[in-house]
Amino acid sequence: MTDKPTIDQWAAAATKEVKGKDLTWHTAEGIDVKPLYTAEDVTTDPGLPGFAPFTRGVRASMYAGRPWTIRQYAGFSTAEESNAFYRRNLAAGQKGLSVAFDLATHRGYDSDHPRVTGDVGKAGVAIDSVEDMKILFDGIPLDQMSVSMTMNGAVIPILAFFIVAGEEQGVDRKLLDGTIQNDILKEFMVRNTYIYPPEPSMRIISDIFGYTSREMPKFNSISISGYHMQEAGATQVQELAFTIADGMEYVKYGVASGLDIDKFAGRLSFFFAIGMNFFMEIAKLRAARVLWHRAMTTLGAQDERSKMLRTHCQTSGVSLTEQDPYNNVMRTTIEAMAAMLGGTQSLHTNALDEAIALPTDFSARIARNTQIVIQEETGMTKVVDPLGGSYYVEALTQQLVDAAQEIIDRVQSEGGMAKAVAAGWPKAMIETAAAARQARVDRGDDVIVGVNKYRLKDEDLLETLDIDNAKVREGQIARINKTKANRDEAACQAALKALRDGAAGESSIENNLLALAVEAARARATLGEISSAMEESFDRYGTQPTPVKGVYGAPYEGDARWQQVLDGVAAVERRMGRKPKLLVAKMGQDGHDRGANVIASAFGDMGFDVVSGPLFQTPGETVVLALESGVDVVGASSLAAGHKTLIPELIGKLKEAGRGDIKVIAGGVIPPQDYQYLRDAGVQGIYGPGSNVVECAADVLRLLGHNMPPLDADQAA
């Protein structure tokens, strides 16, 4: 009988095969992944599914008893268009609704507000009143359908509209089933669709906890979201730690407002991103359940349901590529499998074209069917936690638990997540990770197939969904006017006054903001009116981006192409007598600022003088800032489909000011079909998803008159 080989013998054989190369994988999370795991690496017992600490799943039977809910996130244009889309998807096998609202709605503006001309209906459905909400769910019985709504800033009017729409459909609010995101802390960190400052925003969350715990026993009052953190550049450890810490903060606020922890904690849910690091994502969901059980025990929960982390997941948007986009079908499939193997309760799969536009019916069907095929054809759902006991998965789960706990402990030692967010260090940590990731991609250290390796010589254009923003806005304004004309104005104003007074007073059952907003919604107050009533007491919040420094440039030390760009910037500086100056502008109501921050950081590291404009500017405000700052170039960052409205308006206003010489470039989520439209409008450089930032800088130098050498073959490789 042959002796069993030892680990040392394996190590010797592997080392010989790879000629001594170190096979350890040093991940972005700071975790060193070994090439082989054995039983000795498993230091904890994961237990059994359905039992504390729920490492292996929150239900004993998991998918063998019932698969996860297929819940596709969608919403665009008008309530009528979105309703038709929902009904088609439900007929084709979708099990729950997940509503995407447009940016005007997110930010508490009615569609007729002058600040949202380019945003209405573009990246979600426009909802201005109860009438829109009723149309959105027309023919969809709200006592039988679980509805998830991604809403944070304007959460009070949207939830009030939903409650009243249910009532007028004949459904008591006690029967309403679903989830409202209601997670404002992550908005202050990464997504930025906030309205009010942090303190009143936390009061809103507490009031929603109180109302739903009393009135809506089937409804989840918050979905604590890490998704947007990973999309903004966070590592999985950062996403995990900050999401759990956010959840702890919300529980503390709920308890401080007088709620029994075990009366509301069981209705909390979570929302995580699932990216391309397959086993890391599986381990992350398992680690999240361990950490939440630990956190809730610490906070005093007694009921095991209060300690049970239930989560929705969505495949990554940032992993999708404009280049060779059919690869995105495979990416989404891999990510969906990771979510399933990690034990999610519901899942949204992104469509192949979402790197550049809203999904078409064709691409949405492929995305939805990805989940159906996994459920129906693969046999994956027949076994509970099939990766439980894997040496690698169990060891990686524990490493993630330990690494995330260190960050959570820091948050708690500094007074909790609200104070950490106010101090700004979580946001800075995520932006640093984002800049480092972009540098690795641009250098080719992190491979993205079809983007920085195996790139196609010629790209086929995808047919994309295009929303007629002007037509949608015109229709919404007509409905707003009709709603106002038909309402009892005195009753509406009385309800708005009661809400205004409630916001000015202390939180209580009588002064509950959601309860007061429900009365205003019944009286046909609009979303903008309800938001403004609270804004009079709470004020409107804004922040100024502060790009990180040195992170993007550090990996490029000694790189020939990087040095060419540095030399080019220096040459332009000698000619102009100052550094070339770039304004990074975010126009419209889109708060996703990862791309803008990465560009600002990278161009700063390359020697440009960079001005980071505030979020939510109008084209006119951007022109004023450009003139005051004396910039040479305005870089318009667009991720929410407003580029065909906002960027031409910017160029027109620069010309009106006599500064048509200022170059305008555009980057972000822009369909290639729109490139010529923007060029005709005067855009001089367009850089879509997957663009190499160093090459973008080289192109900007050419626009400024510097004879920048082209990328040679060796550098391209």
Side-chain angles (χ1 to χ4, degrees), residues 106 150-155 181-184 186-187 191 193:
H106 272 288
T150 299
M151 177 52 65
N152 303 280
V155 63
Q181 191 163 99
N182 193 28
D183 173 9
I184 203 66
K186 67 93 174 48
E187 299 294 332
R191 190 163 174 258
T193 50

Side-chain angles (χ1 to χ4, degrees), residues 80-302:
E80 291 91 344
E81 290 282 348
S82 294
N83 173 263
F85 184 82
Y86 294 157
R87 292 169 72 168
R88 289 196 299 272
N89 278 10
L90 290 170
Q94 186 175 311
K95 300 301 183 185
L97 294 180
S98 187
V99 182
F101 298 95
D102 76 353
L103 290 165
T105 304
H106 272 288
R107 294 270 292 144
Y109 294 116
D110 285 336
S111 296
D112 58 0
H113 197 284
R115 297 195 74 86
V116 299
T117 54
D119 295 303
V120 176
K122 291 296 283 187
V125 60
I127 298 293
D128 292 308
S129 72
V130 168
E131 300 305 325
D132 289 329
M133 193 70 82
K134 288 172 68 176
I135 294 168
L136 187 68
F137 295 113
D138 182 42
I140 300 172
L142 292 177
D143 55 345
Q144 301 173 35
M145 181 60 57
S146 173
V147 177
S148 174
M149 293 180 286
T150 299
M151 177 52 65
N152 303 280
V155 63
I156 288 287
I158 285 296
L159 193 47
F161 292 165
F162 179 67
I163 291 166
V164 175
E167 288 175 358
E168 297 186 7
Q169 202 185 79
V171 179
D172 189 279
R173 56 184 173 271
K174 288 183 170 54
L175 299 178
L176 294 173
D177 187 8
T179 304
I180 189 81
Q181 191 163 99
N182 193 28
D183 173 9
I184 203 66
L185 286 174
K186 67 93 174 48
E187 299 294 332
F188 293 117
M189 271 194 285
V190 291
R191 190 163 174 258
N192 300 313
T193 50
Y194 43 68
I195 300 175
Y196 314 110
E199 188 174 342
S201 296
M202 294 300 288
R203 179 203 163 167
I204 286 171
I205 288 171
S206 295
D207 279 10
I208 290 172
F209 284 175
Y211 184 94
T212 54
S213 65
R214 290 188 298 271
E215 304 287 340
M216 302 170 71
K218 297 179 66 178
F219 199 80
N220 297 325
S221 54
I222 194 168
S223 175
I224 304 149
S225 176
Y227 183 88
H228 308 93
M229 297 180 200
Q230 188 179 136
E231 291 291 283
T235 68
Q236 277 87 338
V237 166
Q238 292 166 357
E239 178 194 6
L240 180 57
F242 292 138
T243 305
I244 297 298
D246 278 352
M248 294 175 71
E249 192 80 350
Y250 295 134
V251 170
K252 290 177 186 177
Y253 268 79
V255 171
S257 69
L259 296 174
D260 181 333
I261 189 171
D262 287 314
K263 288 291 196 304
F264 74 92
R267 304 310 305 171
L268 308 183
S269 67
F270 287 79
F271 174 29
F272 285 103
I274 303 295
M276 284 296 288
N277 194 341
F278 186 74
F279 288 104
M280 191 74 77
E281 295 292 7
I282 294 167
K284 181 185 75 183
L285 296 185
R286 302 170 97 251
R289 292 191 287 270
V290 174
L291 288 164
W292 187 241
H293 186 273
R294 182 186 294 175
M296 292 302 288
T297 302
T298 301
L299 292 172
Q302 300 298 315

Side-chain angles (χ1 to χ4, degrees), residues 374-445:
I374 292 173
Q375 286 189 357
E376 302 286 352
E377 296 188 23
T378 65
M380 289 186 190
T381 62
K382 305 300 184 185
V383 176
V384 181
D385 188 28
L387 290 183
S390 157
Y391 301 144
Y392 176 35
V393 170
E394 299 298 354
L396 190 56
T397 298
Q398 190 57 46
Q399 284 181 287
L400 282 168
V401 167
D402 294 342
Q405 188 65 59
E406 286 186 20
I407 298 176
I408 294 168
D409 289 344
R410 177 183 173 186
V411 170
Q412 299 309 311
S413 71
E414 296 184 15
M417 201 62 196
K419 289 186 177 178
V421 168
W425 65 264
K427 182 177 180 67
M429 186 181 285
I430 291 170
E431 289 180 2
T432 296
R437 161 69 172 168
Q438 186 64 48
R440 292 195 304 273
V441 170
D442 287 348
R443 282 177 51 80
D445 298 332

Side-chain angles (χ1 to χ4, degrees), residues 317-324 328 353-357 438 441-442 448 450-452 455 459 638-639 666-672 675 686-693 696:
V318 78
S319 71
L320 302 178
T321 65
E322 175 187 344
Q323 297 83 2
D324 205 357
N328 294 335
D353 48 1
E354 287 190 69
I356 53 174
Q438 186 64 48
V441 170
D442 287 348
I448 301 179
V451 175
N452 61 5
R455 181 130 187 196
E459 297 277 356
S638 175
L639 288 123
V669 180
I670 301 174
Y675 282 15
I686 304 172
Y687 313 105
S691 296
N692 183 294
V693 177
C696 293

